[in-house]
Amino acid sequence: MKTFEQSHLLNTLPKQFFANLVAKVNKIVEQGYDVINLGQGNPDQPTPKHIIEAMQKAVENPEYHKYSPFRGQQFLKEAIATFYEREYSVKIDPAKEVAILFGGKAGLVEVPQCLLNPGDVILVPDPGYPDYWSGVELARAKMEMMPLERENQFLPDYNRLPEDVVAKAKAMFLNYPNNPTGATATSEFFQETVEFATQNDICVVHDFAYGAIGFDGKRPISFLETEGAKETGIEIYTFSKTFNMAGWRIGFAVGNPSVIEALNLLQDHMYVSVFSAIQEAAAHALLSPQTCVEELNALYESRRNVLIHAFREIGWDVTAPAGSFFAWLPVPKEFASSQAFSDYMLEKAHVVMAPGNGFGDYGEGYVRLGLLTSEERLVEAAKRIKALNLF
Ligand SMILES: Cc1ncc(COP(=O)(O)O)c(C=O)c1O
């Protein structure tokens, strides 16, 4: 069979770091071991029943068997505006300030292609969600990293960014509640972000994927709640985490109309919009009572408490995440790297942890654990780690 060469563009895309981890895990599973996988970010709970029922009904509508309107259904854009007003007191114009996305990932990858020319600079958090890098590379733009360090509550310190980098930057990714650190943002930080972005003509792209998941009675805040935020950027929201709809592929961007128009324009060329039945179920999810979201948040909080308690009991000095469904834990000093520790955990305890360096250089020294399995399994993981006498 003839093999056709891949384009230069494909060859320059960042390597999928976690594919390597998946291969290692599969090998251990094939050997018959009972593996506790805390390495991934796939929500384990099903989509709430009322949303599935809305979908089942919508599938029957013959109107939805035709092409969807190019830029998405008006009723979903209106539901999004209602949701933002109700949840965050943010006013959104459904006609100009909403873009429907095939999941948050699609929008995050599209944004650099919408705003940047080859060689343009975008500021990216380190550690951070690796899909940001893919979009930047597809746009042939240049990433400059913003370190997220514990000393600064895993928020970027804009004063420490080199002046020439700031002068060149055209856009910036932010993500709170944060993957992988579990940190949340304060309104002061978002205010500072708006000032910094306005002064330096930077478009802020806030990834609010974990917007529904905040602990200790503190609800995560939307970037758009900040005065002036809409002038300086957009927020990307997904149904994947809030409503356990990761497989449905639906999300949206809201905010600055010029950026929304750019996203819609790119999507006009690439797709027809999401299946309308999914859009109807998504609108239903936003407009229904949010009891299922509160219950999900309580489930993750309870798991977080169990995990943190169990790890502290065995002597691992860990900090509890404030939001997201991830815990970001320090690697014990005896290990040379996150990778070495994660390999050791997999081989000796059959517990999968994502090594922090997979999220960027500043992730070295940490591992990321997902709260995506039952409390019993989290306790079992701690028990297995205890037996290794590391702490
Ligand atoms: C930080 C962050 N942003 C965005 C996404 C994308 O989610 P989706 O494409 O399912 O909307 C994820 C998913 O894991 C994520 O962790």
Side-chain angles (χ1 to χ4, degrees):
M1 182 69 77
K2 182 173 162 58
T3 304
F4 293 95
E5 254 180 53
Q6 293 182 348
S7 65
H8 294 318
L9 181 62
L10 275 193
N11 281 322
T12 53
L13 290 180
K15 295 282 163 281
Q16 288 283 334
F17 181 89
F18 291 102
N20 199 3
L21 177 67
V22 171
K24 281 186 200 167
V25 173
N26 287 345
K27 228 169 108 189
I28 303 279
V29 171
E30 275 161 25
Q31 289 167 21
Y33 291 110
D34 170 28
V35 170
I36 303 177
N37 195 340
L38 308 179
Q40 288 172 342
N42 208 346
D44 63 314
Q45 296 296 299
T47 306
K49 204 157 181 283
H50 66 283
I51 303 172
I52 296 173
E53 284 167 0
M55 176 70 181
Q56 284 167 332
K57 205 165 134 245
V59 164
E60 306 249 1
N61 183 348
E63 277 307 302
Y64 294 170
H65 303 166
K66 303 176 182 172
Y67 289 117
S68 305
F70 259 71
R71 295 187 171 197
Q73 292 281 3
Q74 188 60 22
F75 63 72
L76 177 54
K77 295 184 194 178
E78 277 163 19
I80 289 163
T82 304
F83 175 77
Y84 257 72
E85 169 101 63
R86 189 190 70 217
E87 298 292 323
Y88 304 112
S89 306
V90 170
K91 284 206 185 335
I92 298 288
D93 176 353
K96 296 202 182 83
E97 295 176 350
V98 182
I100 308 297
L101 306 170
F102 287 82
K105 171 175 169 145
L108 293 161
V109 172
E110 285 160 15
V111 157
Q113 297 173 79
C114 290
L115 301 180
L116 306 176
N117 295 312
D120 281 350
V121 169
I122 178 164
L123 303 171
V124 177
D126 179 359
Y129 178 57
D131 284 347
Y132 303 143
W133 315 338
S134 313
V136 177
E137 201 53 58
L138 285 169
R140 298 201 177 275
K142 189 166 178 277
M143 290 199 286
E144 291 286 354
M145 297 316 210
M146 299 189 290
L148 306 186
E149 295 180 278
R150 180 173 301 283
E151 300 75 71
N152 203 39
Q153 290 76 49
F154 297 113
L155 300 168
D157 183 347
Y158 299 129
N159 296 320
R160 285 180 54 195
L161 298 176
E163 270 177 37
D164 58 324
V165 166
V166 172
K168 279 192 237 152
K170 280 179 122 179
M172 165 204 296
F173 279 122
L174 284 180
N175 163 227
Y176 294 98
N178 185 255
N179 175 9
T181 67
T184 50
T186 56
S187 50
E188 293 76 26
F189 169 72
F190 278 154
Q191 268 158 25
E192 193 194 333
T193 301
V194 168
E195 280 161 31
F196 172 75
T198 310
Q199 271 165 18
N200 297 291
D201 230 349
I202 291 172
C203 176
V204 179
V205 180
H206 181 238
D207 176 1
F208 203 28
Y210 298 93
I213 312 170
F215 306 135
D216 307 312
K218 292 194 191 119
R219 196 161 177 271
I221 47 176
S222 157
F223 173 64
L224 296 184
E225 287 176 58
T226 322
E227 211 185 315
K230 221 194 272 180
E231 273 81 73
T232 53
I234 60 163
E235 187 152 84
I236 294 195
Y237 199 93
T238 172
F239 292 77
S240 296
K241 325 284 170 173
T242 308
F243 301 105
N244 292 319
M245 290 169 71
W248 298 52
R249 308 314 302 139
I250 176 110
F252 58 87
V254 276
N256 186 286
S258 63
V259 184
I260 296 299
E261 172 58 26
L263 277 167
N264 277 327
L265 182 60
L266 179 69
Q267 296 197 142
D268 284 347
H269 288 273
M270 296 179 72
Y271 322 106
V272 178
S273 191
V274 176
F275 180 29
S276 291
I278 293 181
Q279 296 193 51
E280 185 166 311
H284 178 80
L286 296 177
L287 299 177
S288 300
Q290 303 291 290
T291 327
C292 59
V293 184
E294 285 155 26
E295 285 168 1
L296 185 67
N297 197 49
L299 176 89
Y300 288 138
E301 180 154 0
S302 177
R303 287 178 179 176
R304 176 204 67 159
N305 294 345
V306 164
L307 179 93
I308 296 299
H309 176 76
F311 283 178
R312 284 182 183 158
E313 284 267 290
I314 66 169
W316 195 355
D317 183 17
V318 295
T319 307
S324 84
F325 48 51
F326 296 113
W328 186 239
L329 308 182
V331 167
K333 296 213 171 15
E334 309 78 291
F335 290 85
S337 66
S338 306
Q339 186 70 62
F341 180 62
S342 150
D343 286 346
Y344 185 83
M345 283 292 139
L346 178 60
E347 278 157 34
K348 304 284 182 206
H350 306 136
V351 174
V352 186
M353 302 178 178
N357 60 321
F359 303 94
D361 290 347
Y362 280 82
E364 184 50 80
Y366 293 91
V367 283
R368 190 195 74 177
L369 275 65
L371 301 167
L372 302 168
T373 188
S374 68
E375 293 179 9
E376 293 72 33
R377 296 289 278 171
L378 296 173
V379 170
E380 168 67 18
K383 224 169 92 189
R384 291 188 195 175
I385 296 166
K386 182 178 182 200
L388 301 173
N389 282 321
L390 286 175
F391 302 101

